[in-house]
Amino acid sequence: MDKVFWQNPYQTELKTCVTQVNGQNIQLQETIFYAFSGGQHSDCGTIGGYPVVNAEKHGCDIVYSLPRDHHLQTGDEVLITIDWKTRYALMKLHFAAELVLEYVYQNYGHPRKIGADITTEKARVDFEWNGSIASHLDEIHRGVFCLISADHPIVSEFEYEEKELRYWEISGFARVHCGGTHIKSTGEIGDITLKRVNIGKGKERIEIYLKP
């Protein structure tokens, strides 16, 4: 399956063919429809006019679940459409979380990440952390917003294409393995708000919100 969302994460429509049908589940020759992975939630949209109920990675393939009454068959040409508002919010919050994570790694002794989640409303990163991270939030925000304001170009490429291992890179800051959909430059994020949440002894969460 050719994952066009890596080549052009700003593309919102694509004509392709159905390669397999198994009840509600279908597979496609190529796709722009991202499936939940690495904490980043799936896109919203339609395939052949049917709403996608679920998108799930199966190895290097993606299986899409459609309503039970869909009529698609193997070989059908279909139009994929994704909701751009959803995709763009996910991309911006995803990369804001990447910047927060990497900034914390570089400046606070590389604490262990124990969780992450990116929705259209907010992103979160969870750490093993003794005490409260609250006193560091202003400093983290300043450091991350400096990176955002500099409008750094973001390179997103394959490291090992045959294994679908990808990375993003900001020159002079970091190169990080990641298979999500990425914006072109940090300035697209705009300003952010950070919030601390205690999730248990020895665990701290940073929630990330986009400012309107």
Side-chain angles (χ1 to χ4, degrees), residues 108-179:
Y108 297 92
H110 209 291
R112 180 169 172 258
K113 185 185 81 169
I114 55 174
D117 192 58
I118 298 99
T119 71
T120 58
E121 303 298 322
K122 65 181 179 181
R124 65 168 173 83
V125 186
D126 302 338
F127 299 96
E128 286 185 351
W129 191 281
N130 291 323
S132 172
I133 205 169
S135 61
H136 301 289
L137 280 191
D138 286 346
E139 180 184 347
I140 295 169
H141 179 269
R142 283 193 298 270
V144 171
F145 188 62
C146 182
L147 292 164
I148 292 171
S149 300
D151 199 20
H152 291 288
I154 300 164
V155 174
S156 183
E157 298 286 353
F158 282 107
E159 184 162 12
Y160 301 106
E161 187 167 3
E162 66 279 4
K163 296 181 180 180
E164 294 194 338
L165 294 178
R166 290 179 62 81
Y167 68 89
W168 64 260
E169 183 174 16
I170 295 174
S171 181
F173 174 63
R175 176 170 168 158
V176 176
H177 290 111
C178 181

Side-chain angles (χ1 to χ4, degrees), residues 47-207:
I47 297 175
Y50 298 102
V52 177
V53 177
N54 187 53
E56 187 173 314
K57 288 186 65 178
H58 286 206
C60 290
D61 291 323
I62 299 175
V63 175
Y64 299 102
S65 297
L66 303 181
R68 293 182 183 278
D69 61 351
H70 82 84
H71 297 101
L72 296 182
Q73 297 180 6
T74 300
D76 283 352
E77 183 179 76
V78 291
L79 177 68
I80 307 173
T81 64
I82 62 167
D83 180 79
W84 172 244
K85 184 178 179 180
T86 297
R87 161 66 69 81
Y88 200 42
L90 287 168
M91 286 205 298
K92 290 190 289 185
L93 278 164
H94 175 196
F95 212 80
E98 292 281 349
L99 292 178
V100 167
L101 177 61
E102 189 60 27
Y103 186 86
V104 170
Y105 278 170
Q106 292 185 20
N107 292 276
Y108 297 92
H110 209 291
R112 180 169 172 258
K113 185 185 81 169
I114 55 174
D117 192 58
I118 298 99
T119 71
T120 58
E121 303 298 322
K122 65 181 179 181
R124 65 168 173 83
V125 186
D126 302 338
F127 299 96
E128 286 185 351
W129 191 281
N130 291 323
S132 172
I133 205 169
S135 61
H136 301 289
L137 280 191
D138 286 346
E139 180 184 347
I140 295 169
H141 179 269
R142 283 193 298 270
V144 171
F145 188 62
C146 182
L147 292 164
I148 292 171
S149 300
D151 199 20
H152 291 288
I154 300 164
V155 174
S156 183
E157 298 286 353
F158 282 107
E159 184 162 12
Y160 301 106
E161 187 167 3
E162 66 279 4
K163 296 181 180 180
E164 294 194 338
L165 294 178
R166 290 179 62 81
Y167 68 89
W168 64 260
E169 183 174 16
I170 295 174
S171 181
F173 174 63
R175 176 170 168 158
V176 176
H177 290 111
C178 181
T181 55
H182 297 138
I183 51 180
K184 293 178 181 177
S185 65
T186 58
E188 294 182 50
I189 297 170
D191 201 358
I192 58 174
T193 300
L194 303 183
K195 178 182 177 183
R196 174 257 181 177
V197 179
N198 175 253
I199 55 173
K201 186 176 181 181
K203 302 175 184 179
E204 289 286 286
R205 171 175 294 169
I206 297 178
E207 292 184 343

